[in-house]
Amino acid sequence: MPALSPTMEEGNIVKWLKQEGETVNVGDALCEIETDKAVVTMESSDDGILAKIMKEEGSKNVRLGTLIGLLVEEGEDWKQVEIPSDTADAPSLSPAAAAAAPSPAIVSPVPKKPEQQPGKLRFRLSPAARNILETHGLDASHSTPSGPRGIFTKEDALKLLDQKQKGKSIEARPVVSPLPAQPTGVPSAPPPASMPRPAIPPVSVPGQRPSVGAFTEAPPSDIRRVIAKRVTESKRTIPHAYATADCDLGAVLKLKKELAKDNIQVSVNDFIIKATASTLKQMPDVNVIWDGEGPRQLQSVDISIAVATDQGLFTPTLKDAATKGVQEIAASVKVLATKAKDGKLPPEEYQGGSFSISNLGMFGISSFTGFVNPPQACFLAVGRTRSELGIVVDEEGNERLQQHQLMTVTLSSDGRMVDDELASKFLKSLKANLENPVRLAL
């Protein structure tokens, strides 16, 4: 299993494109692998014959480095291929860990089943399983775990709970505190009124009507786990700073309407991307990333565009956006968004980027703040366009009311690279570019 993205730790085999016995050439598509970002086609790096498929289609959570197939040279008998013995999924131990690990014990041909003390578990519990056992007072010492590496999973605990509810002989051991002894000669107090036990949210059981407070665990997908990891990393390691500005889009909307008459279809978001790219070109100090020790200024303006999909938020990267026109940006963004929603983004189309943009205006959001996507320096959050009345001064110096089409943008920046002054200058320049779109042609 190869690493097909920088953050990939495991992958799923979606489909094999070659079958056992087929000839394979360099560059041929071998299989489709679902990474934490997208479904990527794995290409062969050698010539030969696909002798053995070690991981079938549908295999889930295959760790990096796990053997998924065997290739032999042409002319060899692929049916007699020797399968390596060390094909376990678990990663190999480091030399230090291997030295510290105890030597394997010699197992007799007929092993004697060790006697187990009541209530003492021979296996590990998952957090969800431990919660279910403790909540319902279940004893899992006589159960057999079904999880990987002998872990007693939530499904095992639910099965045990289901057996208890059906009246099977499952030993439950609630702990009852003994009542303190009453002193001699002291009249006993009347027993207190029975109070209901505090409600503990029960676990939902398939096939039964859910109780009040019942819940069902929704295990995260690989993509959701990566998103959670990145968001946590961003908020934990990056000193965020925020700045907000209102931009008048009257000129952009007028130009967009005129272009539509010539059958040139572009969106407001395309103008925002172009204006941002032009501003980054004018202010290279903002077009930076953090390389671990300090800022690194980039020559190309590559902008990550947030795209919402059923699997999660993707940020395909529009390469060299400053050199593209608004119409070319519109076509490129449309292609990238389609690939992201279909899960067909190759790694080179979502890696990199120096700046991110997310537009929630289409959902009616007036304004919001985003998190900086490391190692980038900035994230621009775009709200909806709204109409507001404002006072303007005409050429004769007279004041009058005029309707403005305003849009709120919020810049989240990494304070290590973009301070408040630089962020303010960036928003001022971006506002000028959006309110005077003729500047984008310069």
Side-chain angles (χ1 to χ4, degrees):
M1 175 62 70
L4 299 175
S5 78
T7 55
M8 178 180 173
E9 296 180 355
E10 56 188 23
N12 305 329
I13 306 295
V14 178
K15 182 180 181 181
W16 278 96
L17 305 177
K18 292 287 186 179
Q19 301 301 320
E20 293 181 0
E22 288 192 34
T23 301
V24 178
N25 298 316
V26 174
D28 285 355
L30 281 176
C31 62
E32 292 181 351
I33 297 176
E34 181 184 9
T35 70
D36 55 349
K37 295 288 187 179
V39 176
V40 182
T41 300
M42 175 184 171
E43 298 180 352
S44 175
S45 57
D46 293 300
D47 296 329
I49 298 175
L50 181 58
K52 183 67 176 177
I53 294 177
M54 304 298 296
K55 294 293 181 181
E56 300 292 339
E57 293 181 1
S59 298
K60 302 288 186 180
N61 304 324
V62 182
R63 301 288 298 179
L64 293 184
T66 301
L67 192 63
I68 62 174
L70 293 173
L71 210 65
V72 299
E73 295 182 359
E74 293 187 14
E76 293 186 17
D77 187 359
W78 62 271
K79 296 182 180 180
Q80 302 297 326
V81 63
E82 182 179 351
I83 301 177
S85 58
D86 53 344
T87 59
D89 291 352
S92 58
L93 294 174
S94 62
S103 303
I106 301 177
V107 181
S108 59
V110 183
K112 181 180 179 181
K113 185 175 181 179
E115 295 183 1
Q116 178 185 338
Q117 298 179 2
K120 186 175 182 180
L121 300 180
R122 298 171 300 167
F123 43 78
R124 292 183 296 164
L125 299 174
S126 70
R130 184 182 300 278
N131 179 57
I132 295 173
L133 295 178
E134 293 177 353
T135 300
H136 297 276
L138 299 177
D139 181 11
S141 59
H142 298 286
S143 301
T144 302
S146 63
R149 300 181 296 278
I151 296 178
F152 192 83
T153 65
K154 183 192 78 170
E155 288 73 17
D156 298 328
L158 288 176
K159 183 178 179 182
L160 198 62
L161 176 62
D162 186 49
Q163 291 175 352
K164 174 186 177 182
Q165 293 176 346
K166 289 181 179 179
K168 292 190 177 182
S169 56
I170 304 296
E171 182 181 354
R173 299 171 297 157
V175 178
V176 180
S177 301
L179 293 175
Q182 292 287 345
T184 306
V186 178
S188 60
S194 61
M195 296 295 292
R197 296 182 62 185
I200 300 175
V203 179
S204 62
V205 179
Q208 296 187 13
R209 187 175 179 179
S211 306
V212 177
F215 66 93
T216 302
E217 285 193 4
S221 63
D222 293 342
I223 295 173
R224 290 289 182 187
R225 281 199 296 266
V226 172
I227 293 175
K229 180 179 179 181
R230 298 282 286 176
V231 172
T232 305
E233 176 188 357
S234 174
K235 287 297 186 180
R236 187 180 66 246
T237 63
I238 295 178
H240 282 65
Y242 306 97
T244 301
D246 286 335
C247 304
D248 190 343
L249 292 186
V252 167
L253 294 175
K254 182 179 178 181
L255 178 57
K256 177 178 176 293
K257 188 175 180 179
E258 292 177 357
L259 292 175
K261 295 178 181 179
D262 296 331
N263 202 27
I264 299 177
Q265 302 298 328
V266 293
S267 67
V268 172
N269 200 52
D270 300 325
F271 280 100
I272 296 171
I273 295 171
K274 176 61 180 176
T276 302
S278 298
T279 307
L280 288 171
K281 194 71 174 178
Q282 297 164 6
M283 302 181 63
D285 289 344
V286 184
N287 190 41
V288 293
I289 61 173
W290 186 265
D291 67 354
E293 297 181 356
R296 177 186 297 175
Q297 192 174 111
L298 304 181
Q299 301 300 319
S300 175
V301 177
D302 302 332
I303 296 182
S304 300
I305 311 299
V307 177
T309 70
D310 294 337
Q311 293 78 30
L313 192 68
F314 282 83
T315 52
T317 303
L318 182 64
K319 304 290 186 181
D320 208 9
T323 62
K324 293 179 169 63
V326 178
Q327 191 173 9
E328 186 180 357
I329 288 176
S332 300
V333 169
K334 185 176 181 180
V335 172
L336 289 172
T338 301
K339 288 183 178 180
K341 292 177 180 178
D342 294 340
K344 298 295 184 180
L345 274 176
E348 61 270 14
E349 289 186 347
Y350 60 76
Q351 295 176 5
S354 57
F355 195 101
S356 292
I357 299 177
S358 178
N359 190 342
L360 296 183
M362 62 193 72
F363 300 105
I365 304 301
S366 299
S367 64
F368 68 103
T369 56
F371 65 90
V372 178
N373 186 19
Q376 298 177 4
C378 295
F379 181 101
L380 187 69
V382 182
R384 67 179 178 89
T385 304
R386 64 189 188 279
S387 297
E388 286 190 9
L389 286 175
I391 298 176
V392 296
V393 181
D394 58 22
E395 296 178 354
E396 298 177 356
N398 299 320
E399 295 182 349
R400 60 185 178 86
L401 287 175
Q402 179 175 320
Q403 194 174 57
H404 299 272
Q405 300 296 324
L406 299 183
M407 176 189 70
T408 300
V409 294
T410 302
L411 182 71
S412 305
S413 56
D414 186 339
R416 297 172 297 180
M417 297 178 279
V418 179
D419 57 23
D420 292 342
E421 181 183 7
L422 186 57
S424 301
K425 290 180 179 179
F426 177 85
L427 283 180
K428 182 179 179 180
S429 181
L430 175 65
K431 177 181 171 71
N433 286 333
L434 279 173
E435 295 182 349
N436 302 276
V438 67
R439 293 164 57 107
L440 303 180
L442 300 178

